[in-house]
């Protein structure tokens, strides 16, 4: 019994050490992205798709790279299965290759998370995490404003470099989610003649949908200064306005991707009520693409979804990720008594909700 308790205490100690230095994984990953290590392996490895550290170093944009430092960082990333390593039996220099994980680090790949890694680990976005205890002790403002004195959107508007970093991060995740939607949810657009993307930014999401389903007339609805810079897309009309006001364009269906998590419950209910007025009572629906938390879930992305709820504390102003019960509550209060959740191979799910 004493041995079992001692083993459990050792395991507990090991867990605390692991979580204490959890940031090291993020920083090593960011380092690999900044040095474009995955890109170097992908572009310069021979037919066996593996390359030595000396060869990697020779392609770094650096006058005198420190191979020893690179070796130590790669050792951890191999341990985390980000990269693979092979030690030749004849004792030659180890060679490194890509894994399924490091393929997501390729900058030129359509399905890349590299911009998101750089964004989330930027000092301006890391600083708010140090204010969590203050967020618990005192109500408002939220962590980002505590750290910077501004909400994230105002901060971005005053810092063009950060704004580009943020937009690039959002764009890469949008491409991943849209591919999953168009691949796994095609039936959801059957019978839809018109679709309005509420909070659609510059319109790329609704443009992708219209391109895949040319029979759909698309509307991209966002704030006037946002749609003013939106490019022209065939089959898409840009409409400026405020989703909190009562003039969302009428359509058969409303599409909202990663919008509702930015707002508190009362704001979400207000948005839903305005969406409800924009669609027909019979046959109309809203498609909410957002995270559905499963706190006890054992799915491959369930842990990350819980972490993203903490990201909302760090970076948003009142927003949060929600469980199904929390979604059901605001859907009913917003005028949508029926709904179903459709899972797709992504962090987000699709919540289809109907006014009757």
């Amino acid at each position: 019994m004493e041995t079992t308790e001692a083993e459990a205490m050792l395991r507990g100690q090991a867990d605390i050490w692991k979580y204490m230095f959890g940031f090291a994984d993020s920083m090593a990953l960011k380092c690999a992205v900044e040095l474009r290590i995955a890109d170097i392996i992908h572009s310069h490895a021979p037919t066996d798709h593996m390359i030595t550290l000396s060869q990697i170093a020779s392609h770094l944009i650096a006058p005198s790279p420190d191979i020893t430092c690179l070796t130590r960082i790669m050792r951890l990333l191999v341990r985390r299965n980000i990269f693979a390593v092979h030690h030749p039996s004849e004792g030659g220099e180890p060679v490194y290759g890509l894994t399924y994980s490091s393929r997501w680090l390729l900058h030129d790949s359509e399905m890349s998370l590299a911009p998101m890694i750089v964004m989330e680990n930027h000092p301006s976005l890391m600083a708010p995490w140090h204010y969590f205890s203050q967020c618990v002790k005192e109500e408002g403002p939220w962590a980002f404003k505590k750290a910077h004195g501004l909400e994230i959107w105002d901060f971005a508007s005053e810092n063009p470099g950060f704004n580009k970093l943020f937009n690039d991060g959002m764009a890469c995740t949008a491409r991943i989610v849209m591919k999953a939607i168009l691949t796994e949810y095609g039936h959801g657009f059957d019978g839809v003649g018109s679709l309005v993307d509420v909070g659609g930014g510059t319109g790329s999401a609704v443009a992708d949908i219209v391109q895949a389903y040319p029979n759909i007339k698309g509307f991209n609805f966002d704030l006037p200064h946002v749609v003013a810079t939106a490019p022209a897309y065939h089959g898409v009309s840009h409409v400026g306005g405020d989703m909190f006001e009562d003039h969302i364009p009428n359509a058969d269906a409303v599409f909202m991707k990663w919008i509702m998590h930015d707002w508190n419950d009362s704001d979400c209910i207000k948005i839903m009520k305005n969406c409800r007025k924009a669609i027909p009572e019979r046959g109309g629906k809203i498609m909410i693409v957002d995270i559905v938390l499963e706190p006890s879930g054992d799915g491959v992305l369930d842990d990350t979804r819980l972490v993203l709820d903490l990201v909302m504390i760090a970076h948003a102003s009142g927003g949060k990720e929600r469980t199904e019960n929390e979604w059901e509550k605001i859907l009913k209060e917003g005028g949508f008594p029926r709904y179903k959740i459709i899972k797709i191979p992504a962090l987000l799910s699709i919540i289809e909700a109907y006014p009757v």
Side-chain angles (χ1 to χ4, degrees), residues 1 9 12 26 47 64 71 94 101 113 119 126 131 134 149 165 188 205 210 233 247 265 281 298 316:
M1 185 66 181
M9 285 298 292
S26 298
T47 53
S64 54
T71 301
S101 296
L113 281 168
M119 183 199 95
M126 294 297 291
Y131 289 81
Q134 288 190 31
L165 196 75
V210 170
Y233 294 108
H247 47 63
D265 287 355
E281 184 172 347
D298 57 1

Side-chain angles (χ1 to χ4, degrees), residues 272 327-339:
M272 287 183 187
W327 278 113
E328 182 179 22
K329 180 178 182 295
I330 61 174
L331 284 167
K332 286 182 177 178
E333 293 188 36
F336 294 89
R338 288 196 306 120
Y339 72 93

Side-chain angles (χ1 to χ4, degrees), residues 26-215:
S26 298
M27 293 299 104
L29 193 61
K30 180 186 178 184
C31 170
V33 170
E34 291 178 333
L35 295 177
R36 292 179 173 257
I37 292 174
D39 300 272
I40 291 171
I41 295 173
H42 181 69
S43 300
H44 299 285
T47 53
D48 61 359
H49 304 297
M50 303 197 86
I51 190 172
T52 67
L53 283 185
S54 298
Q55 290 171 316
I56 292 173
S58 70
H59 294 287
L60 295 177
I61 304 175
S64 54
D66 187 331
I67 299 291
T68 301
C69 184
L70 179 60
T71 301
R72 294 159 69 184
I73 292 169
M74 288 295 286
R75 181 168 57 193
L76 179 66
L77 292 173
V78 167
R79 175 84 174 188
R80 298 292 184 260
N81 296 315
I82 304 299
F83 293 101
V85 66
H86 172 68
H87 298 274
S89 56
E90 59 274 15
E93 189 176 352
V95 288
Y96 294 81
L98 300 182
T99 65
Y100 284 107
S101 296
S102 45
R103 292 180 191 180
W104 289 94
L105 307 183
L106 296 170
H107 284 77
D108 295 331
S109 170
E110 183 183 3
M111 298 291 105
S112 175
L113 281 168
M116 191 69 168
I117 292 166
V118 176
M119 183 199 95
E120 286 293 350
N121 290 286
H122 187 274
S124 295
L125 286 180
M126 294 297 291
W129 291 87
H130 295 278
Y131 289 81
F132 271 30
S133 59
Q134 288 190 31
C135 288
V136 173
K137 291 178 180 178
E138 56 191 41
E139 185 176 357
W142 290 77
F144 194 92
K145 192 170 184 179
K146 288 183 187 296
H148 298 291
L150 295 169
E151 302 290 1
I152 191 168
W153 314 115
D154 298 325
F155 184 87
S157 68
E158 294 186 8
N159 296 272
F162 175 83
N163 188 54
K164 183 181 186 307
L165 196 75
F166 186 86
N167 289 338
D168 288 348
M170 293 295 99
C172 82
T173 55
R175 286 191 292 270
I176 293 167
V177 172
M178 285 308 301
K179 183 176 181 180
I181 291 171
L182 294 174
T183 302
E184 303 291 332
Y185 180 67
H187 64 280
F189 300 106
D190 292 343
V192 175
S194 56
L195 178 81
V196 55
D197 185 355
V198 174
T202 56
S204 60
V206 68
D208 286 344
I209 294 170
V210 170
Q211 184 178 20
Y213 302 91
N215 59 298

